[in-house]
Amino acid sequence: GDVYKRQEYMGYDITHNVIGGSVLFGYHVPGADCNQVNGFVNNTAHTNRYGFYFLVNRTGCLHLSYLTAYKNYDGVLSYDQNYQTRGEYMKITDNKYGVTLGQAQEASSGSLI
């Protein structure tokens, strides 16, 4: 069986996908909050401008898990008012920028734990 609980993610079950070769975004989706069982898992982005671009929820905590990003310009991006970001079981390699968190116009108050 899978090591995670499969549930719908923002109304969708997005699992086991590979997106590569996009001019802009591999994935451009709302991020899961830290209290949600994440149904966005085991997805891979490669050779895109942005591998994963997460829109931060308003709970103050973004949960990233079970994702792979390689050969993108930016592996994982989240520009919004995120206060805390939790990451687990992520494979981020061979990107110009691995993980970029924070606000687009001012310094980030967020942290990756």
Side-chain angles (χ1 to χ4, degrees):
D2 292 323
V3 294
Y4 60 90
K5 293 180 180 179
R6 249 177 115 169
Q7 291 189 356
E8 284 193 353
Y9 173 75
M10 307 298 276
Y12 299 95
D13 185 17
I14 305 171
T15 58
H16 306 289
N17 299 289
V18 177
I19 295 180
S22 172
V23 175
L24 286 177
F25 303 103
Y27 299 89
H28 188 234
V29 295
D33 71 49
C34 291
N35 298 319
Q36 175 185 1
V37 175
N38 197 344
F40 183 86
V41 292
N42 288 344
N43 293 300
T44 299
H46 68 86
T47 56
N48 302 291
R49 171 69 168 101
Y50 307 103
F52 295 89
Y53 193 140
F54 291 101
L55 305 170
V56 178
N57 59 68
R58 298 295 176 201
T59 66
C61 188
L62 174 65
H63 184 235
L64 308 174
S65 63
Y66 297 98
L67 56 88
T68 301
Y70 65 94
K71 294 191 182 289
N72 300 287
Y73 185 81
D74 287 301
V76 178
L77 277 161
S78 175
Y79 282 120
D80 209 332
Q81 295 178 346
N82 58 314
Y83 304 108
Q84 184 179 61
T85 301
R86 295 181 183 173
E88 61 183 357
Y89 306 106
M90 299 190 307
K91 298 172 192 167
I92 313 295
T93 186
D94 203 16
N95 301 286
K96 181 154 177 99
Y97 300 102
V99 178
T100 304
L101 305 173
Q103 298 174 340
Q105 297 177 346
E106 58 188 76
S108 171
S109 60
S111 63
L112 178 63
I113 60 171

